[in-house]
């Protein structure tokens, strides 16, 4: 005791009065037992935390130079780019940081889907994660409006107009969101205020997310519970080092974008100042919204009494909200896809469909998927005159497979996956035998475990 | 029985307290929500006057009204005929051309696509009217929706002729 270093004594003095070091040790230190078989797919949670910190740090600095006014916002961002010391770097880190955030979080989510991390007893952990995703989307959407370029303005216009689809009160909601009769200065100012606020709400949600995580600890690639000390290793130093290594790799890729392709993921039209009188020929949201945008646009027909526009909006939101009930849709006795031969294939199919929806979201809906151009109906002059007089129905062109059709197929499959395939597989899929514990496949224990190992190598 | 009475008196107090707290909270929250609605100065800017004398036949101008574009077109006789010859049962949102104009040849309408709010392009589309590039809505020479995802015709703002060549919108 007496020959403990000064540092140690200070730590002890504080910890006795406010056990913050004990708390940290239990959260991310040697006092937190962690499954010993976590793969690199478990790095993405800490990466998401890293990017959140980067966004807040760069965002606060940008806010020192940014002016939230329709006449000055664009110019103030250009000033950040040209005149503010290192302004270009800070803005490029912030803009690419938003993309990186979504890359990391999407991988994190698909990891959860593959290994069944949303299953009991981690439902609440998963639900908090989905809420974080929704807050991220709102934050990124409002942040993209701030530079007040053409895509900022028209993206905001199209997305806020979605709410006009709500029956009866739709228009009132839209004008409330705008604070006027169109996207204008009041809209920009409130988006700025909320863009500043929401990341801190996300920080709060992340604390809850980690709190819920520590109740039962991480899931793992085998999807079975840890059974005692043999299955775990302390978080520190094993996973602190592994997470740091992951951050190193992340930084290499991230800064390759920041320094060599800073505008690769952006849209050039956003370097044109917003003009409320001219719509760009092709409005596209940021890449991370494309699959949802595709779902929105794929509903071109009324469903029963629900008009197409409303249905598109409902399905777009439902495509994320369905994740909230996923823990109850999946009733399989097994968590990890490693032991679920059919689910494993269905999982990859869902990933492919999501990517296809993303591609569809970036295309013009009426463009053909395979041909250069869709054929048009051949109309003779007499027929044209008859159509104009209303004596003849309009001629339909021959069917042509367009992106909107591809989007419809993708949307149908997306919901089929969650609402039909998942519940059916939970009931009828024949799962493979689980190893009795995490250690046993590694140490070559029981027969089931041995079998699991051979399969993994195959 | 006496106990029950005591219980129900307590219940009453709980409910009354809860009701007062609920109403109080609503009264406190409403200003925080309503502040986001259009403010008085925004509402005050809600009219625009336009001089039509310099617009020639077949020409359109776009003016700003409430931050939105308003299309004003001096339509050609062909355009008017084309719009009036279209039978109403061919329209998605049936409305006669006459109901959409105050005085020929002027067509005045809000240039905001009824789908998701883009600005349609003039002299374009399959019906010689307007075409919205965002998701492909076609409007005819009366600004009525003919094809594409938009549900309604381009809206007609309230406007009056102050004299032969001046209108006030709003
Ligand atoms: C969840 C974390 C965040 C995300 C995902 C995010 C996302 C974005 C995005 C996509 C943009 C547009 C970038 C561009 O195209 O220029 C942006 C801009 C901006 N953000 Fe954030 N942001 C986050 C946190 C913050 C925070 C915490 C602040 C302030 C404290 C902030 C302040 C700003 C400012 C001032 C701009 C405008 C300057 C610019 O466009 O570069 N952001 N943000
Ligand atoms: S906004 Fe015009 S077609 Fe969608």
């Amino acid at each position: 005791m007496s020959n403990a270093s000064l540092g140690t004594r200070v730590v002890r003095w504080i910890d006795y009065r406010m056990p913050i070091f004990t708390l940290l040790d239990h959260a991310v230190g040697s006092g937190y037992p962690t499954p010993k078989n976590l793969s690199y797919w478990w790095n993405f949670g800490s990466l998401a935390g890293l990017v959140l910190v980067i966004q807040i740090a760069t965002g606060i600095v940008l806010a020192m130079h940014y002016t939230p006014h329709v006449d000055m916002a664009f110019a103030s961002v250009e000033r950040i780019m040209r005149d503010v010391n290192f302004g270009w770097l800070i803005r490029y880190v912030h803009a690419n940081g938003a993309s990186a955030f979504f890359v990391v979080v999407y991988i994190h989510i698909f990891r959860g889907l593959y290994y069944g991390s949303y299953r009991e007893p981690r439902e609440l952990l998963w639900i908090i994660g989905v809420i974080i995703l929704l807050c991220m989307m709102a934050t990124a959407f409002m942040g993209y409006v701030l530079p007040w370029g053409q895509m900022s303005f028209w993206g905001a216009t199209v997305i806020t107009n979605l709410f006009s689809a709500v029956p009866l009160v739709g228009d009132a909601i839209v004008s409330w969101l705008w604070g006027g009769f169109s996207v204008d200065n009041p809209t920009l100012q409130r988006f700025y205020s909320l863009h500043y606020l929401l990341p801190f709400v996300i920080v709060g949600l992340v604390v809850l997310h980690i709190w819920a995580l520590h109740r039962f600890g991480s899931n793992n690639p085998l999807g079975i519970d840890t059974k005692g000390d043999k299955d775990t290793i302390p978080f520190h130093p094993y996973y602190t080092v592994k997470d740091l290594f992951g951050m190193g790799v992340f930084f290499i890729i991230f800064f390759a974008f920041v320094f060599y392709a800073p505008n690769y993921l952006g849209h050039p039209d956003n370097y044109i100042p917003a003009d409320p009188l001219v719509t760009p020929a092709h409005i596209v949201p940021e890449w991370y919204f494309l699959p949802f945008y595709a779902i929105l646009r794929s509903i071109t027909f009324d469903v029963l009494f629900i008009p197409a526009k409303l249905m598109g909006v409902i399905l777009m939101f439902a495509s994320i909200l369905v994740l909230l009930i996923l823990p109850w849709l999946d009733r399989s006795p097994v968590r990890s896809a490693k032991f679920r031969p059919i689910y494993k294939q269905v999982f990859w199919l869902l990933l492919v469909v999501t990517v296809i929806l993303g591609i569809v979201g970036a295309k013009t809906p009426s463009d053909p998927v395979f041909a250069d151009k869709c054929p048009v109906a051949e109309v003779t002059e007499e027929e044209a005159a008859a159509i104009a007089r209303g004596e003849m129905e309009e001629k339909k062109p021959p069917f042509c497979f367009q992106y909107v059709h591809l989007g419809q197929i993708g949307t149908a499959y997306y919901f089929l996956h969650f609402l039909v395939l998942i519940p059916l597989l939970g009931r009828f899929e024949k799962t493979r035998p689980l190893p009795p514990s995490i250690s046993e496949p590694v140490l070559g224990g029981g027969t089931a475990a041995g079998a699991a190992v051979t399969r993994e190598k195959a | 029985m006496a106990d029950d009475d005591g219980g129900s008196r307590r219940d009453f107090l709980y409910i009354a307290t809860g009701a007062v707290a609920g109403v109080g909270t609503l009264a406190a929250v409403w200003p925080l929500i309503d502040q986001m609605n259009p403010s008085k100065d925004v509402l005050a800017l809600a009219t625009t006057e336009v001089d039509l004398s310099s617009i020639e036949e077949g020409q359109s101008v776009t003016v700003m009204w409430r931050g939105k574009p308003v299309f004003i077109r001096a339509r050609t006789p062909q355009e008017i005929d084309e719009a009036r010859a279209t039978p109403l049962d061919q329209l998605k949102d049936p409305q006669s051309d006459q109901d959409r104009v105050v005085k020929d040849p002027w067509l005045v309408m809000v240039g905001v696509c009824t789908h998701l709010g883009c600005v349609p392009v003039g002299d374009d589309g399959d019906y010689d009217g307007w075409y919205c590039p965002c998701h492909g809505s076609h409007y005819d020479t009366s600004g009525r929706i003919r094809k594409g995802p938009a549900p309604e015709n381009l809206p007609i703002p309230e406007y009056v002729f102050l004299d032969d060549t001046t209108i006030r919108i709003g």
Side-chain angles (χ1 to χ4, degrees):
Chain A
M1 211 24 168
S2 56
N3 46 22
S5 71
L6 178 65
T8 318
R9 274 184 289 151
V10 171
V11 165
R12 281 197 197 130
W13 187 90
I14 296 176
D15 204 53
Y16 179 68
R17 284 152 185 87
M18 178 180 74
I20 183 163
F21 295 103
T22 308
L23 184 102
L24 282 177
D25 188 55
H26 286 197
V28 288
S30 49
Y32 176 42
T34 316
K36 64 182 179 188
N37 58 337
L38 298 188
S39 67
Y40 275 110
W41 298 116
W42 267 259
N43 275 55
F44 289 87
S46 71
L47 285 180
L50 172 72
V51 185
L52 179 60
V53 171
I54 293 177
Q55 289 306 90
I56 290 180
T58 50
I60 288 176
V61 178
L62 286 172
M64 298 179 185
H65 303 279
Y66 171 78
T67 314
H69 188 283
V70 287
D71 296 332
M72 287 172 267
F74 187 87
S76 76
V77 172
E78 284 311 299
R79 193 183 146 265
I80 291 173
M81 294 301 289
R82 291 152 201 251
D83 298 338
V84 174
N85 300 332
F86 288 106
W88 58 272
L89 177 62
I90 295 162
R91 173 165 180 256
Y92 278 155
V93 168
H94 195 76
N96 286 279
S99 283
F101 207 171
F102 281 94
V103 172
V104 166
V105 165
Y106 284 155
I107 294 176
H108 189 65
I109 293 172
F110 274 99
R111 184 282 316 261
L113 292 176
Y114 189 85
Y115 294 109
S117 303
Y118 50 87
R119 299 295 305 279
E120 210 241 280
R122 297 186 182 81
E123 302 97 322
L124 198 55
L125 170 62
W126 173 259
I127 289 174
I128 295 169
V130 177
I131 298 172
I132 292 176
L133 175 66
L134 291 170
C135 287
M136 276 174 62
M137 292 179 146
T139 307
F141 163 66
M142 291 191 276
Y144 193 59
V145 176
L146 301 184
W148 209 244
Q150 273 290 67
M151 278 299 157
S152 298
F153 182 88
W154 290 103
T157 299
V158 168
I159 300 299
T160 48
N161 261 305
L162 291 179
F163 292 91
S164 68
V166 177
L168 304 177
V169 290
D171 289 332
I173 294 179
V174 174
S175 129
W176 176 73
L177 287 173
W178 288 339
F181 305 103
S182 61
V183 173
D184 209 333
N185 202 47
T187 329
L188 176 59
Q189 290 199 353
R190 64 191 56 184
F191 278 17
Y192 182 47
S193 167
L194 295 174
H195 183 73
Y196 208 130
L197 167 71
L198 276 181
F200 296 92
V201 173
I202 295 178
V203 170
L205 288 166
V206 168
V207 170
L208 296 183
H209 194 68
I210 294 176
W211 189 3
L213 170 70
H214 284 70
R215 181 78 175 85
F216 296 101
S218 298
N219 183 29
N220 64 79
L222 297 176
I224 56 176
D225 294 333
T226 52
K227 298 189 180 77
D229 292 348
K230 265 174 80 184
D231 290 347
T232 63
I233 46 176
F235 189 84
H236 178 72
Y238 295 100
Y239 287 114
T240 39
V241 165
K242 193 174 177 181
D243 279 348
L244 275 177
F245 176 73
M247 290 179 189
V249 175
F250 168 81
F251 275 134
I252 293 174
I253 301 169
F254 179 63
F255 282 107
F257 272 95
V258 169
F259 289 121
Y260 296 103
N263 291 308
Y264 180 74
L265 293 166
H267 196 292
D269 276 15
N270 224 26
Y271 283 104
I272 304 171
D275 181 350
L277 295 182
V278 182
T279 306
H282 195 54
I283 297 184
V284 275
E286 294 276 88
W287 70 265
Y288 36 80
F289 292 133
L290 289 175
F292 309 103
Y293 194 53
I295 291 176
L296 168 79
R297 293 195 301 186
S298 68
I299 309 303
T300 51
F301 43 85
D302 298 353
V303 180
L304 304 176
F305 55 91
I306 305 172
K309 184 165 140 187
L310 179 59
M311 197 61 200
V313 176
I314 292 175
L315 286 190
M316 182 181 73
F317 283 109
S319 66
I320 298 172
L321 297 182
V322 71
L323 294 175
L324 291 174
I325 54 165
L326 179 60
W328 293 274
L329 293 172
D330 183 357
R331 313 251 50 150
S332 170
V334 171
R335 289 195 193 109
S336 172
K338 279 201 165 165
F339 305 104
R340 302 185 59 186
I342 306 178
Y343 174 68
K344 191 188 257 176
Q345 297 172 24
V346 170
F347 166 87
W348 288 110
L349 198 53
L350 177 75
L351 185 63
V352 170
V353 167
T354 312
V355 172
I356 290 178
L357 280 173
I359 296 169
V360 171
K363 301 281 183 183
T364 307
S366 57
D367 278 356
V369 180
F370 300 113
D372 287 341
K373 234 178 148 182
C374 273
V376 288
E378 280 176 35
V379 186
T380 62
E381 256 176 53
E382 296 96 77
E383 284 170 336
I387 293 171
R389 286 192 306 274
E391 286 161 12
M392 196 180 134
E393 285 274 314
E394 210 145 316
K395 272 203 155 179
K396 288 226 163 67
F399 179 78
C400 163
F401 190 65
Q402 301 162 356
Y403 277 103
V404 60
H405 302 127
L406 189 58
Q408 285 163 348
I409 296 172
T411 303
Y413 183 80
Y414 184 93
F415 286 100
L416 186 83
H417 173 95
F418 287 107
L419 299 177
V420 179
L421 297 183
I422 291 281
L424 285 183
L425 285 180
R427 270 192 75 121
F428 297 112
E429 184 181 30
K430 197 163 157 5
T431 58
R432 290 179 177 153
L434 292 174
S437 79
I438 291 177
S439 321
E440 260 148 285
V442 183
L443 304 174
T447 42
V453 171
T454 17
R455 258 197 312 276
E456 264 201 80
K457 291 207 178 115
Chain B
M1 266 339 246
D3 270 5
D4 270 357
D5 277 346
S8 64
R9 203 156 73 215
R10 185 159 289 191
D11 286 348
F12 172 77
L13 285 175
Y14 277 143
I15 293 169
T17 313
V20 170
V23 171
T25 309
L26 279 184
V29 166
W30 176 245
L32 296 176
I33 294 177
D34 190 41
Q35 53 82 21
M36 279 174 69
N37 273 318
S39 57
K40 293 196 186 66
D41 62 322
V42 171
L43 293 170
L45 289 176
T47 64
T48 302
E49 283 184 25
V50 192
D51 174 17
L52 305 178
S53 55
S54 60
I55 310 172
E56 289 180 25
E57 190 182 286
Q59 244 189 4
S60 296
V61 297
T62 306
V63 298
M64 285 282 263
W65 172 64
R66 293 174 157 188
K68 291 180 185 181
V70 171
F71 297 153
I72 303 176
R73 184 169 177 86
R75 292 191 295 178
T76 62
Q78 297 96 289
E79 285 171 348
I80 297 175
D81 290 346
E82 208 177 304
R84 299 203 173 147
T86 309
L88 290 192
D89 59 11
Q90 291 207 351
L91 300 175
K92 193 164 167 185
D93 178 14
Q95 193 181 22
S96 75
D97 184 61
Q98 285 89 337
D99 287 346
R100 295 175 55 79
V101 295
V102 171
K103 198 167 94 179
D104 279 333
W106 304 106
L107 178 66
V108 179
M109 55 189 187
V110 179
V112 173
C113 181
T114 56
H115 183 227
L116 293 174
C118 293
V119 178
V121 185
D123 293 307
D124 202 346
D126 294 356
Y127 298 87
D128 310 325
W130 284 263
Y131 171 70
C132 180
C134 287
H135 317 99
S137 288
H138 299 254
Y139 296 90
D140 66 10
T141 56
S142 184
R144 294 173 298 195
I145 179 66
R146 300 300 290 273
K147 201 164 108 183
E152 286 162 30
N153 303 333
L154 290 177
I156 306 294
E158 251 179 63
Y159 65 96
V160 287
F161 276 84
L162 299 178
D163 58 53
D164 257 9
T165 56
T166 318
I167 59 171
R168 189 180 64 215
I169 310 173

